Amino acid sequence: MDLGIDGRSALVTGASAGLGLASAQALAAEGVRVVMVSRTKERIEAAAASVPNAVPLVADITDPAAVGVLLDEADEVLGGVDILIANGGGPPPGTFASTDLDAYQGALELNLLPFIAMSKRLIPPMQERGWGRVVAITSIAVREPIDVLILSNTARAGLTGFLKTTATEVASDGVTVNSVQPGLHLTDRLRGVDFDPEAAAKGVPANEIGDPDDFGKVVTFVCSDAAKYITGASIPVDGGLAKGLQ
Ligand code: NAP
């Protein structure tokens, strides 16, 4: 299938590893010109080397000034950003009892505010051009909150409300705004914790842990021309893990 995005341009944050990197690779495979971003020069340069024609940039998305500079640089490199894949790390685990009030600020600065800042800057030019795609990588925890991830549950639910509201406002200008919700995918984030893939797979109806490459392809389809009628959606990619109807 021709996804119709050959020659488009994309900014992918959180792109040195995992789901962000897989999304950048899948977009590039469709002929999209990609700017890839993470906090670490060595990591993002190494990742960009695996993506045809990708340009690596360094920025910490929790720093509003750095995000401003990043957006200027991305605009210059790409001559306008058609596609934003908004992604970054996850906040630390914790419960209601174990999580201090101050920690919520950090979670909002990582998983909500930079996504809003990038949308505020990039969506108006997309509207002017009559074509744009915004995809945020969130979590299945938005659909079914995970007990020990109160920061993620809270910040990403807020982000999802922002995306839904924005999607409605810009839909008639050819801009779609969606989120894709990972379940369990074998990335550094999971490798970094005490995670047993075989045991975890038993709790997933599909009986396997997600492949980041498949996830990147789903993100890329949501950016396609054919997906122009998908907007305001929160799409689970979780092997059936979330059991609710919505
Ligand atoms: P990952 O393997 O840990 O990769 C995270 C990426 O974000 C890396 O490229 C990291 O690069 C970058 N990053 C982290 N903090 C950043 C910051 N402040 N500014 C810019 N870049 C930053 O994570 P992942 O598994 O791909 O997950 C991606 C997102 O999906 C995360 O928010 C995660 O919580 C969420 N999620 C993942 C799963 C899963 O099963 N994997 C499930 C649910 C939700 P540098 O270190 O080089 O900056």
Side-chain angles (χ1 to χ4, degrees):
M1 189 189 340
D2 178 8
L3 296 187
I5 50 177
D6 189 6
R8 295 278 184 195
S9 60
L11 171 63
V12 184
T13 61
S16 68
L19 305 179
L21 172 58
S23 300
Q25 288 169 331
L27 284 163
E30 294 300 320
V32 175
R33 297 173 295 119
V34 182
V35 162
M36 297 169 58
V37 182
S38 88
R39 293 167 299 183
T40 327
K41 188 170 185 291
E42 295 72 28
R43 274 165 61 83
I44 197 64
E45 284 181 353
S50 72
V51 179
N53 303 316
V55 175
L57 294 176
V58 176
D60 182 337
I61 61 166
T62 65
D63 176 350
V67 170
V69 172
L70 164 68
L71 294 174
D72 287 343
E73 289 176 341
D75 219 19
E76 202 175 307
V77 169
L78 295 171
V81 176
D82 296 320
I83 296 168
L84 168 65
I85 310 300
N87 177 50
T95 62
F96 168 71
S98 69
T99 304
D100 290 339
L101 183 56
D102 290 350
Y104 288 84
Q105 185 64 32
L108 298 181
E109 286 171 0
L110 177 62
N111 294 116
L112 174 64
L113 296 174
F115 292 46
I116 295 175
M118 291 190 284
S119 299
K120 286 287 283 178
R121 172 80 180 269
L122 296 178
I123 288 178
M126 292 177 185
Q127 290 175 278
E128 278 170 29
R129 293 193 295 271
W131 199 97
R133 300 285 183 265
V134 175
V135 179
I137 298 177
T138 61
S139 172
I140 204 65
V142 174
R143 195 165 283 269
E144 207 171 86
I146 297 168
D147 292 346
V148 295
L149 293 180
I150 198 166
L151 291 173
S152 174
N153 300 340
T154 305
R156 298 191 212 258
L159 173 64
T160 305
F162 165 80
L163 296 170
K164 182 72 177 170
T165 313
T166 304
T168 306
E169 199 171 316
V170 304
S172 64
D173 295 320
V175 180
T176 70
V177 181
N178 295 290
S179 59
V180 180
Q181 302 172 325
L184 287 172
H185 301 261
L186 201 50
T187 66
D188 290 351
R189 178 165 166 84
L190 290 192
R191 287 191 195 95
V193 295
D194 189 14
F195 181 74
D196 177 349
E198 277 183 27
K202 293 198 174 92
V204 180
N207 201 30
E208 59 180 302
I209 300 302
D211 179 342
D213 290 343
D214 291 343
F215 186 93
K217 288 173 188 160
V218 174
V219 167
T220 297
F221 177 74
V222 175
C223 297
S224 70
D225 229 20
K228 59 179 170 292
Y229 211 51
I230 299 175
T231 196
S234 305
I235 301 161
V237 181
D238 70 344
L241 190 60
K243 301 293 195 308
L245 287 177
Q246 292 191 1

